[in-house]
Amino acid sequence: MGATGAPGASDIMRRGEKAGRNDPCPCGSGEKYKRCCEKKARGAGPGGAITLIVLVGVLIVAIVVAITSITQDPAPTGSRRVWSPEHGHYHNVP
Ligand SMILES: [Zn+2]
Ligand SMILES: [Zn+2]
């Protein structure tokens, strides 16, 4: 526990019991594992969902920033309000 270079891992690699990326895929497609099920395993894993959530989050932040910048516009096109530069305030138009 905590020792660097665990003898167990190196032993497995030396004997080749663990499927290598250049070994034939265990699914029997004849392709190498790195060209076959490794991609599928990565694509179907939680990593894809996390990437999607991050993209959606960035999109929401972009929308919020855009709305905030519009709201902070000093002269919004209100329905019944007209900006008066001389008075420095809005006039209510009936
Ligand atoms: Zn495969
Ligand atoms: Zn006024």
Side-chain angles (χ1 to χ4, degrees), residues 2-50:
T4 56
S10 62
D11 188 41
I12 290 171
M13 289 186 69
R14 198 186 309 130
R15 288 187 294 172
E17 287 186 356
K18 191 176 183 65
R21 296 177 67 240
N22 287 313
D23 291 338
C25 189
C27 77
S29 65
E31 295 284 347
K32 291 182 179 179
Y33 177 68
K34 68 180 181 182
R35 289 182 173 277
C36 184
C37 287
E38 187 186 55
K39 292 181 179 179
K40 297 173 188 175
R42 288 184 179 182
I50 292 172

Side-chain angles (χ1 to χ4, degrees), residues 70-71 73-83 90-94:
I70 292 170
T71 306
D73 191 324
T77 57
S79 57
R80 292 182 177 276
R81 299 182 80 191
V82 175
W83 176 257
Y90 285 97
H91 284 180
N92 291 327
V93 179

